[in-house]
């Protein structure tokens, strides 16, 4: 079950071209391409006649032509030509999905098109800030349900065991978490004091010695995450709004999990940072290291998917599951409310 009246990431901007391409979101096959003006277009990827994917057809100006019998559709999904007949039945129109390009990503609205408000797209602070660097990520296929990934992102403690060579230190094992439910998601966070800088960050922090470190994991419904990592010299942490000038490192990681279907997810990500804004070597180091860590997550979560699917005893929840469980309960309520509203309509 999915929340539909919301924005999902469909693709990187560079993936959508003048050539028709099939993507899959929430189990639906969709053809994406660009208009002559460069705007992204998304239509149901099935010709109404014999259901050949329109992605197997061809682009002609601002129209897409089916590769089987030539039925032709404009960018709104309206059928404008049926070869061999003058009358065009209304049933030949195909569904059009609202899409918007923003932050080098193409966003798609899977619900009621009348409710698609671009102002509700996740806001990326510092994206175009020249004083902040950016390392552009990837779109990683995960062979697991998207909720196992949101579980993982609301569980900062897992870095102590899964990411020992990169993000984790011993302090990540026991320091208690603060869990906050918001109108649009769940936040789990904590400050860890006078601890060693984790291996991945040692090259990036602008100071020597131990640190105070904030972990801020915020997942918004249905599957969008903002992860903030702050490092300051030991003894100066505790307030993210009052950081020592020139003596702190901040990395904001943005993670967008798009369900392909119930068993597969496409994971889009990138980071922005407050140091070395124009240093490509730093960007490459961060991208390679983060990709390594995400592959560690993927290896774990693929096995979790299998284990939960094939379990013969019930799974046991523990204290560190409080954030993920709160998120799941609230998301399920939103999905149920949306379904009830659709039935009443």
């Amino acid at each position: 079950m999915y929340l539909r009246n919301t924005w999902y990431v469909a693709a990187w901007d560079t993936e959508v071209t003048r050539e028709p391409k099939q993507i899959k979101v929430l189990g639906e096959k969709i053809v994406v391409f660009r208009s002559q003006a460069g705007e992204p277009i998304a239509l149901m990827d099935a010709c109404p006649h014999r259901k050949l994917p329109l992605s197997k057809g061809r682009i002609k100006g601002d129209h897409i032509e089916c590769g089987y019998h030539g039925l032709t559709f404009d960018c709104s999904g309206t059928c404008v030509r049926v070869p061999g007949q003058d009358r065009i039945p209304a049933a030949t129109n195909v569904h059009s999905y609202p899409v918007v390009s923003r932050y080098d990503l193409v966003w798609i609205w899977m619900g009621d098109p009348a409710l698609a408000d671009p102002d509700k797209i996740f806001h990326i602070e510092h994206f175009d800030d020249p004083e902040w660097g950016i390392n552009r990520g990837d779109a990683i296929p995960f062979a697991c349900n998207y909720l196992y990934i949101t579980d993982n992102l609301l569980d900062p403690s897992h870095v102590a065991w899964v990411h020992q060579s990169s993000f984790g230190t011993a302090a990540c094992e026991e320091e208690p978490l603060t869990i906050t439910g918001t109108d649009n998601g769940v936040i789990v966070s904590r400050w860890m004091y006078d601890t060693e800088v984790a291996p991945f960050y040692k090259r990036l922090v602008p100071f020597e010695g131990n640190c105070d470190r904030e972990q801020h994991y915020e997942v918004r419904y249905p599957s969008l995450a903002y992860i903030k990592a702050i490092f300051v010299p030991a003894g100066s942490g505790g307030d993210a709004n009052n950081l020592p000038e020139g003596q702190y490192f901040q990395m904001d990681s943005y993670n967008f999990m798009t369900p392909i279907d119930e068993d597969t997810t496409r994971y889009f990500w990138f980071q922005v940072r407050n140091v070395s804004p124009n240093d490509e070597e730093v960007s490459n180091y961060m991208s390679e290291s983060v990709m390594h860590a995400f592959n560690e997550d993927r290896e774990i979560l693929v096995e979790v998917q299998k284990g939960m699917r094939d379990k013969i005893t019930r799974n046991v929840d523990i204290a560190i599951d409080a954030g993920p469980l709160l998120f799941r309960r609230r998301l399920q309520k939103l999905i149920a409310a949306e379904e009830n509203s659709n039935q009443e309509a």
Side-chain angles (χ1 to χ4, degrees), residues 97-256:
Y97 301 82
V99 282
V100 175
S101 286
R102 191 166 297 178
Y103 309 123
D104 294 338
L105 297 164
V106 174
W107 300 76
I108 188 166
W109 184 271
M110 296 298 294
D112 182 352
L115 302 178
D117 181 357
D119 288 341
K120 293 182 179 179
I121 290 176
F122 197 111
H123 175 65
I124 309 296
E125 191 175 6
H126 303 300
F127 183 81
D128 292 319
D129 188 335
E131 296 184 1
W132 284 62
I134 184 168
N135 56 299
R136 303 180 191 278
D138 203 343
I140 314 170
F142 272 59
C144 69
N145 185 276
Y146 74 104
L147 290 174
Y148 291 130
I149 306 177
T150 61
D151 288 348
N152 192 63
L153 291 173
L154 285 167
D155 170 27
S157 64
H158 84 272
V159 303
W161 294 279
V162 180
H163 306 305
Q164 293 183 353
S165 65
S166 54
F167 299 153
T169 64
C172 297
E173 294 185 21
E174 300 295 343
E175 191 70 28
L177 292 162
T178 298
I179 301 170
T180 307
T182 70
D183 290 341
N184 57 14
V186 172
I187 299 170
V188 294
S189 62
R190 63 182 169 190
W191 276 93
M192 297 175 288
Y193 298 99
D194 195 14
T195 184
E196 184 180 3
V197 176
F200 167 73
Y201 299 101
K202 286 185 176 179
R203 177 175 170 179
L204 304 169
V205 299
F207 58 85
E208 300 292 332
N210 280 3
C211 70
D212 293 344
R213 173 184 179 183
E214 184 190 31
Q215 288 181 306
H216 176 103
Y217 285 59
E218 178 176 349
V219 183
R220 300 182 189 174
Y221 309 120
S223 53
L224 312 171
Y226 164 55
I227 301 172
K228 178 174 64 176
I230 293 178
F231 290 79
V232 296
S236 59
D239 182 358
N241 295 314
N242 186 24
L243 301 172
E245 185 68 31
Q247 284 291 298
Y248 77 96
F249 169 76
Q250 179 172 337
M251 180 181 79
D252 294 345
S253 181
Y254 293 93
N255 307 262
F256 308 116

Side-chain angles (χ1 to χ4, degrees), residues 205-335:
V205 299
F207 58 85
E208 300 292 332
N210 280 3
C211 70
D212 293 344
R213 173 184 179 183
E214 184 190 31
Q215 288 181 306
H216 176 103
Y217 285 59
E218 178 176 349
V219 183
R220 300 182 189 174
Y221 309 120
S223 53
L224 312 171
Y226 164 55
I227 301 172
K228 178 174 64 176
I230 293 178
F231 290 79
V232 296
S236 59
D239 182 358
N241 295 314
N242 186 24
L243 301 172
E245 185 68 31
Q247 284 291 298
Y248 77 96
F249 169 76
Q250 179 172 337
M251 180 181 79
D252 294 345
S253 181
Y254 293 93
N255 307 262
F256 308 116
M257 288 66 68
T258 300
I260 295 174
D261 52 37
E262 289 290 345
D263 301 318
T264 319
T265 305
R266 199 168 187 218
Y267 190 139
F268 298 83
W269 61 272
F270 60 84
Q271 282 91 31
V272 296
R273 63 183 185 272
N274 72 323
V275 300
S276 308
N278 301 308
D279 192 325
E280 284 301 311
E281 185 177 345
V282 169
S283 293
N284 291 335
Y285 163 73
M286 292 181 68
S287 291
E288 291 170 7
S289 299
V290 170
M291 188 67 183
H292 173 74
F294 285 168
N295 282 330
E296 291 175 328
D297 282 324
R298 177 164 59 175
E299 182 177 344
I300 293 289
L301 296 178
V302 167
E303 293 304 318
V304 167
Q305 169 87 11
K306 295 176 184 177
M308 294 294 279
R309 180 194 63 204
D310 301 333
K311 66 181 184 290
I312 57 175
T313 59
R314 70 180 184 89
N315 62 292
V316 177
D317 297 320
I318 58 178
I320 59 176
D321 297 317
L325 291 173
L326 177 62
F327 182 86
R328 281 180 177 250
R329 287 196 302 271
R330 290 190 169 193
L331 176 59
Q332 188 53 51
K333 287 182 179 179
L334 291 174
I335 293 172

Side-chain angles (χ1 to χ4, degrees), residues 48-50 69-72 79-93:
H49 176 226
R50 290 293 182 266
H69 291 101
L71 276 73
T72 303
C79 185
V80 296
R81 179 172 183 252
V82 179
Q85 65 185 67
D86 294 328
R87 179 180 170 274
I88 300 177
T92 56
N93 296 338

Side-chain angles (χ1 to χ4, degrees), residues 48-61:
H49 176 226
R50 290 293 182 266
K51 305 305 181 183
L52 181 76
L54 291 175
S55 55
K56 298 294 186 181
R58 57 194 63 85
I59 302 299
K60 291 188 170 182

